[in-house]
Amino acid sequence: MNDRCILVAALLLVLLAVPVQAQPADAERSATMTERRPIPYPVTLPANVQQAIANGTRTASGAPGPNYWTNTAHYDIEATLNPASEMLRGEATIRYHNASPDTLRRLLVHLRQNVYRDGVVRNRSVAVTGGMILDRVALNGTTLDAANMQVSDEPMRGDPPVPNAYAVSDTRMAVYPGAPVAPGDTVRLDVAWHFEVPGPNNFRMGQDGETFYLGYWYPQMAVYDDLHGWRAQPYQGDGEFYMPWGTYDVSITVPEGWLVGATGTLQNPDDVLTESVQARLDRAAQTDSIVTVVSEQQRGAGSATVDASDRPTLTWRFHAEDVRDFAFGTSAQYVWDATSAETGDERALVHSLYRPEKTLWTRSAEYAQFSVEHLSDMLIAYPYPQMTVVEGISIGGMEYPMITLIGGDYDAQGLFSVTYHEISHMWIPMVVGTDEKTYAWMDEGLTEFNESEGEDDFYPEMDAWDPANQGSYYRYGGTPNDAPSMRHADRYPVHGPERVYASYSKPRVMLHALRGILGDDTFFAAYRTFVERWAFKHPTPYDLFHTVEDVAERDLDWFWTGAFYEAWALDHSIQDVTSASDGTTVTVADRRNLMMPVLLTATYADGSTVQRRVGVGTWMEGARTAEVPLPAGTVTRVELDPEQFLPDVDRSNNVWTADE
Ligand SMILES: [Zn+2]
């Protein structure tokens, strides 16, 4: 992003008569050199966002415009997983509908499994497999030839170079139709493929011999949106995903006795599950209690799954609507707990599949049920019929529509928190379809915020928002590792803490500060409005900023630029308290560059308290100190930000007492 250039422009505006030359990029240093503090600048809208507002696909208030559209696809996929050979084979028919006003001269498709292919550019180390091997690609029934070309999501000029051909480079495939795809048209893309499932010590998918988790395993249409046209960036490991909406009909063939958890609803329980398992699932759908659907002793063919007898495999058919991806986990070792969660007027089934030696997982279904209900209350009702948590390869937690994969060793609170975090992703980015690669802080920051809210309610004694429990922010905030959140996820230092810090813990505490500034009612009204407006659509940060400003009825550019565009830190301190007969004056010093209002509570000798809130106007004028007048009386104690909303990196100077 070009935020440093904007900073210089803003200083020119603010410091009017002061001769300005290019400031050093290090804002903290420039403050010392010039004794002028950096002033937050206006959020400038990129040209494509301005054009979208002009076109009516977005609006300046942050709501989608009347002309908003999304392209969609219907996937019919038949997948066969052979655990013995560790091979996945698939055949897909994708019906892609062009709802855009544009004529498409090519289609871009993600083959993300190629991140495991030798020679692909990555920012994470992997155990190399062959990646995805394409056995056939056909468009509208015509088999296409492979062309040797680089794939890019840059706008293509001129005619398609090779009609009726496809090209694969890195993790992307371009398909060049014989004739352009007109607005309103639907095309049929058939792909057959296979790949070796990566082993353990990979990320976000793979297998450990006992459990298999298939993510990024099929050819997926890239997003074509109103801002970029095709937005198909390569998958390099760190940066996550930007995915369009679709309907999925997926059949998964695995050995008998293997349980499958997946995106969507099982369509053929009679074909794969015994009657007693189905009866226990029916019970789970009606109860708050945890039902043991398959115990350790009930695993296997004839007891958990039906006995395939004459054939060694079973085919599980799933259907899912309005989802942006499809994933599944499977193992013969899993036990199965289920319950259901209240989601508005409905109940959603909640499944947990895990190996019995993972003893903490006996509470997993309970954690998942709490998460679905808590988030349904806080945001919008969970819109899907089920939520599945599967235990598997050691990777931490990873989210997919209606399903999450969680591996590794946790204590009970750690397992609760990661479960809540991944289920929170069902709202963002699964329903509110943000671009995680370009703006990782949107889905991770909002999800981290939600996670602290969930912890706060599930563990009331914990005080999740106490800075002591927000350690990762306070480890890096204001240090040389501090980094702006508004940065592409693949453009942070590889292996450094900056990406995770700037995408997770920093936006978490900044959103908590915003809540303190706006108050709970306005903050949550704005948050809910954002989720309602952008459910099943693709918002940018500007749509979030504009929606909050629309609901709060105030300009917050100073907040957005300080919180998300810069690496500035906050340190408010009490510099002086002077008392006279007509009142007391507290002098608050702003010792760093992140601007926040002063939130002050004074305690008097009779035990009464007075609260004062001073906006950022004083700081915006360039001052480093602000005087806060208090009514007459004997002030015994003054505290800044006593409710700990603000990300103050040094709280040792926040309290003054008369005894000092
Ligand atoms: Zn996350």
Side-chain angles (χ1 to χ4, degrees):
M1 308 298 289
N2 57 351
D3 41 356
R4 303 295 176 185
C5 303
I6 302 166
L7 169 63
V8 173
L11 282 170
L12 272 167
L13 284 173
V14 170
L15 304 179
L16 290 175
V18 180
V20 173
Q21 48 199 13
Q23 298 290 310
D26 178 351
E28 305 269 352
R29 186 166 142 244
S30 75
T32 322
M33 287 167 62
T34 62
E35 298 189 359
R36 288 273 181 186
R37 62 177 308 152
I39 307 294
Y41 39 87
V43 172
T44 50
L45 299 184
N48 60 350
V49 175
Q50 294 183 39
Q51 188 62 52
I53 292 171
N55 291 345
T57 56
R58 292 168 200 256
T59 66
S61 71
N67 300 328
Y68 191 84
W69 48 265
T70 54
N71 287 356
T72 53
H74 189 132
Y75 296 79
D76 283 289
I77 304 180
E78 291 184 11
T80 301
L81 174 69
N82 184 336
S85 65
E86 301 173 359
M87 292 297 287
L88 183 288
R89 287 187 178 277
E91 285 186 30
T93 296
I94 306 168
R95 290 177 180 82
Y96 183 69
H97 179 65
N98 179 17
S100 84
D102 306 330
T103 296
L104 309 179
R105 288 175 294 139
R106 58 181 181 156
L107 306 172
L108 291 188
V109 182
H110 289 287
L111 307 178
R112 295 193 180 90
Q113 189 60 215
N114 278 354
V115 76
Y116 300 103
R117 176 182 279 185
D118 195 19
V120 164
V121 173
R122 283 181 290 265
N123 44 27
R124 289 191 183 195
S125 52
V126 304
V128 168
T129 66
M132 200 172 208
I133 296 157
L134 299 179
D135 301 314
R136 178 172 182 251
V137 180
L139 193 72
N140 294 332
T142 303
T143 299
L144 307 182
D145 296 326
N148 187 13
M149 296 173 54
Q150 287 297 307
V151 177
S152 155
D153 65 353
E154 296 298 316
M156 190 174 60
R157 297 177 206 289
D159 292 326
V162 260
N164 285 323
Y166 71 94
V168 176
S169 63
D170 56 55
T171 60
R172 297 171 295 179
M173 170 168 75
V175 174
Y176 302 98
V181 183
D185 274 5
T186 299
V187 289
R188 171 183 168 151
L189 178 66
D190 292 283
V191 184
W193 74 97
H194 65 276
F195 63 86
E196 178 189 330
V197 182
N201 308 316
N202 276 301
F203 53 96
R204 301 196 184 114
M205 57 96 46
Q207 52 87 17
D208 60 12
E210 282 187 349
T211 68
F212 282 69
Y213 194 88
L214 276 296
Y216 324 112
W217 60 281
Y218 65 96
Q220 186 194 39
M221 299 305 303
V223 172
Y224 188 91
D225 70 17
D226 60 319
L227 295 172
H228 307 90
W230 288 111
R231 185 65 164 167
Q233 301 183 306
Y235 180 34
Q236 299 185 342
D238 277 347
E240 295 193 309
F241 311 102
Y242 188 36
M243 295 173 163
W245 310 110
T247 299
Y248 288 76
D249 285 292
V250 180
S251 68
I252 300 164
T253 300
V254 293
E256 62 175 353
W258 285 59
L259 296 176
V260 180
T263 302
T265 306
L266 183 64
Q267 301 297 296
N268 61 336
D270 290 343
D271 294 342
V272 292
L273 298 174
T274 59
E275 278 177 22
S276 52
V277 165
Q278 291 185 58
R280 293 192 284 269
L281 279 175
D282 289 344
R283 188 147 54 83
Q286 308 298 329
T287 179
D288 292 329
S289 307
I290 310 300
V291 175
T292 301
V293 177
V294 174
S295 70
E296 187 170 356
Q297 292 71 32
Q298 291 163 336
R299 293 179 297 183
S303 175
T305 75
V306 298
D307 188 338
S309 58
D310 52 332
R311 62 210 144 90
T313 62
L314 293 171
T315 298
W316 301 55
R317 300 187 188 282
F318 291 89
H319 175 78
E321 294 176 11
D322 296 326
V323 290
R324 57 168 233 166
D325 195 9
F326 188 102
F328 66 95
T330 182
S331 177
Q333 302 303 314
Y334 283 151
V335 296
W336 186 350
D337 292 343
T339 183
S340 52
E342 273 183 43
T343 56
D345 300 333
E346 322 239 341
R347 292 190 80 82
L349 265 163
V350 171
H351 305 286
S352 177
L353 295 163
Y354 57 96
R355 286 170 285 193
E357 55 268 30
K358 304 280 182 181
T359 51
L360 287 177
W361 277 71
T362 53
R363 293 192 67 184
S364 158
E366 175 198 346
Y367 297 158
Q369 176 191 52
F370 174 89
S371 304
V372 170
E373 292 185 347
H374 191 260
L375 287 152
S376 292
D377 285 346
M378 189 164 80
L379 300 172
I380 58 173
Y382 183 68
Y384 298 122
Q386 65 93 4
M387 178 70 220
T388 299
V389 185
V390 307
E391 177 269 321
I393 58 170
S394 269
I395 54 139
M398 187 60 209
E399 69 277 13
Y400 313 79
M402 300 188 224
I403 185 168
T404 174
L405 168 66
I406 296 175
D409 291 317
Y410 296 90
D411 59 14
Q413 193 237 300
L415 184 59
F416 168 82
S417 294
V418 69
T419 303
Y420 189 100
H421 178 107
E422 306 312 334
I423 290 177
S424 177
H425 277 309
M426 299 307 126
W427 280 260
I428 306 167
M430 298 303 155
V431 169
V432 176
T434 59
D435 176 350
E436 302 171 84
K437 207 178 277 296
T438 315
Y439 309 111
W441 70 269
M442 288 186 81
D443 74 297
E444 295 301 351
L446 288 163
T447 289
E448 289 272 301
F449 175 91
N450 299 348
E451 183 185 328
S452 287
E453 285 292 284
E455 290 167 344
D456 219 33
D457 286 347
F458 197 80
Y459 298 106
E461 73 289 356
M462 169 184 168
D463 192 5
W465 284 113
D466 188 299
N469 290 318
Q470 301 292 335
S472 43
Y473 175 78
Y474 292 96
R475 192 172 314 131
Y476 298 117
T479 75
N481 290 117
D482 202 335
S485 298
M486 283 288 277
R487 183 181 290 178
H488 192 287
D490 287 320
R491 291 175 198 148
Y492 288 100
V494 175
H495 304 314
E498 290 85 354
R499 179 182 62 85
V500 170
Y501 162 79
S503 308
Y504 290 72
S505 53
K506 181 174 180 172
R508 175 194 327 220
V509 300
M510 293 300 170
L511 290 162
H512 186 57
L514 182 62
R515 170 201 198 156
I517 292 163
L518 299 180
D520 268 17
D521 288 353
T522 303
F523 175 84
F524 282 104
Y527 190 1
R528 271 184 218 111
T529 301
F530 172 68
V531 173
E532 285 164 1
R533 283 178 170 181
W534 289 96
F536 308 107
K537 298 183 176 70
H538 298 299
T540 65
Y542 312 100
D543 299 309
L544 173 63
F545 300 160
H546 291 161
T547 294
V548 174
E549 293 180 347
D550 188 31
V551 174
E553 298 183 315
R554 56 195 282 194
D555 175 69
L556 291 162
D557 277 11
W558 63 268
F559 179 84
W560 311 127
T561 52
F564 299 127
Y565 287 70
E566 291 292 343
W568 292 341
L570 171 75
D571 182 16
H572 284 173
S573 80
I574 299 176
Q575 184 169 300
D576 201 15
V577 179
T578 49
S579 290
S581 56
D582 60 341
T584 293
T585 301
V586 180
T587 304
V588 177
D590 192 18
R591 297 159 57 92
R592 302 289 289 261
N593 286 335
L594 180 65
M595 283 188 191
M596 289 287 163
V598 174
L599 311 177
L600 180 152
T601 298
T603 307
Y604 286 74
D606 64 1
S608 63
T609 60
V610 167
Q611 294 188 337
R612 287 287 180 269
R613 182 174 277 248
V614 182
V616 295
T618 310
W619 314 138
M620 290 290 278
E621 286 165 16
R624 280 286 179 189
T625 57
E627 296 196 336
V628 185
L630 297 172
T634 306
V635 175
T636 56
R637 189 173 191 276
V638 179
E639 182 169 7
L640 299 177
D641 189 26
E643 292 179 271
Q644 305 191 123
F645 279 117
L646 304 181
D648 192 323
V649 295
D650 182 1
R651 289 183 179 272
S652 69
N653 51 26
N654 283 25
V655 178
W656 173 90
T657 52
D659 322 328
E660 282 175 357

